[in-house]
Every structure is written in structure tokens, then in C-alpha cells.
Amino acid sequence: MGGLRAGTGREIQCKNVSGGGDDTINGLPKNLKKEQLVVVLLVGILLLIIALPTKEKEKDSTSETSLPDTEKSDTRELTGRQMETELEQALSNVEGIGKVQVVLTFEDTGEKVVEKDSDATVYAKDSKGNQTPYVSTEILPRIKGVLVIAQGGDNAVVNQNIREAVMALFQVEAHKIKVMKMK
């Protein structure tokens, strides 16, 4: 064990606390340079920083992007009713169609895309302070079929106009549209 000289002229004794041989100081080899020690320390910190956000990202992606099944079905029903109502209003204003009732069927429930900023979910606060994920885009459900019941549904020209209107609005093929005469 060697001694060090301090500015006061007294000798300070260093003891090996690791219990190992004389070739280590505090558990580190004596021949390890300061630069190497700094590099090892920085690499350890870098690995720690890289590992931490990964766990948080997995939690956010699973909990925030999926909506409960009940909320999806409620959204589909609301959107479906809105689409039916708008189509009924538009068709009832066309000459010869008269009173109209529309029924839509859907292939899926649609999708809401949640806004993310650097892998973190962006939240919107309501007046009560509740946080909900900010929906940046809402993809409407795909329409599988359309039933239109109209007073003028027996007229071939009216029938064709209704089919063309539905095809233009919803990108539905003609064979998936049924037009019937109302009682």
C-alpha cells in the first residue's frame, strides 16, 4: 500500500476496501485509464437511457390507440344514423323521389387515429379537466349495402337516379344497392 503526499506534508494511507488483491482500487483495475473509465460510464448511461423509453412506448401504444368495443359500436351507430339521415334529406329533395327511408349496413366499425408527438400520445382536456386522446383523423366505416325505400321507387328513371346518387356518395357497387317502392 502506497502513500500519497498532501500539501501539508502529511502522508495519507490508502486501504484496499474490495478485499481483493493489490491490483485493484475500489473494485476497478489500477491500469484502467481515466478516459476508459469515462467511456465505460457514458456507455452505461446511454444504455440506460435507451432502455427506459421503450417500456413507456409499449404501454402508450396498447392502451391509447384501441377503443373499447362499446365505444366503437356507439360511434358506428351514431355515424350510421347520421349518414342515413343525410342521405334521406338529400334524396327527398330530388324531384320524383318523394318520401324516403334509408338503411345502411357496414363492413367494419371505422377507425379513429390518435395524434402522437414523438411516440407520446397527445391529450385534449375538457371543461371538467378530464383527459382524452386527441383524435387527429376519423376514418368512416365502409358501407356494405344500401336499402332505399322511396315513394317514387317504382319509376325506372327515379330508381336509376337513386342508384347513381348512392354510388357517387358512398363508392358502393350497383349490385349492393336496393331501391324499393314505399307503401
Side-chain angles (χ1 to χ4, degrees), residues 2-182:
L4 298 174
R5 295 250 177 221
T8 61
R10 289 189 251 159
E11 187 175 47
I12 300 172
Q13 294 291 324
C14 293
K15 293 185 178 181
N16 188 354
V17 293
S18 67
D22 288 335
D23 60 340
T24 61
I25 298 176
N26 293 334
L28 299 173
K30 282 183 181 178
N31 60 354
L32 188 63
K33 296 179 182 176
K34 287 183 181 179
E35 293 85 13
Q36 292 173 332
L37 183 62
V38 170
V39 169
V40 169
L41 182 64
L42 290 176
V43 167
I45 292 172
L46 180 65
L47 289 174
L48 182 65
I49 291 172
I50 290 173
L52 288 178
T54 306
K55 293 176 185 174
E56 187 176 315
K57 180 182 175 184
E58 291 171 2
K59 290 178 186 175
D60 280 346
S61 65
T62 58
S63 65
E64 299 301 331
T65 56
S66 62
L67 297 172
D69 289 338
T70 57
E71 189 173 331
K72 284 183 181 178
S73 64
D74 290 345
T75 302
R76 190 188 121 244
E77 289 175 15
L78 180 64
T79 304
R81 282 191 219 117
Q82 288 174 341
M83 294 168 76
E84 288 173 355
T85 303
E86 289 179 15
L87 182 58
E88 286 173 0
Q89 290 173 352
L91 291 176
S92 65
N93 290 326
V94 176
E95 185 179 343
I97 294 179
K99 189 175 175 187
V100 178
Q101 184 179 357
V102 176
V103 178
L104 301 174
T105 57
F106 300 95
E107 288 184 23
D108 56 22
T109 59
E111 182 179 350
K112 290 185 179 183
V113 179
V114 177
E115 182 72 28
K116 293 210 176 231
D117 183 29
S118 301
D119 296 329
T121 303
V122 178
Y123 291 93
K125 287 187 178 181
D126 62 7
S127 60
K128 295 179 183 176
N130 297 330
Q131 287 187 338
T132 56
Y134 179 74
V135 177
S136 61
T137 307
E138 185 172 350
I139 300 170
L140 295 175
R142 287 181 288 185
I143 295 175
K144 187 176 182 178
V146 180
L147 172 63
V148 179
I149 303 168
Q151 285 179 336
D154 61 340
N155 184 331
V157 174
V158 171
N159 193 314
Q160 185 62 30
N161 287 339
I162 292 172
R163 285 181 189 273
E164 289 174 0
V166 171
M167 289 170 56
L169 288 173
F170 300 123
Q171 288 78 42
V172 178
E173 299 167 7
H175 70 276
K176 295 183 178 183
I177 302 168
K178 179 65 177 173
V179 180
M180 301 177 76
K181 179 167 175 50
M182 187 177 282

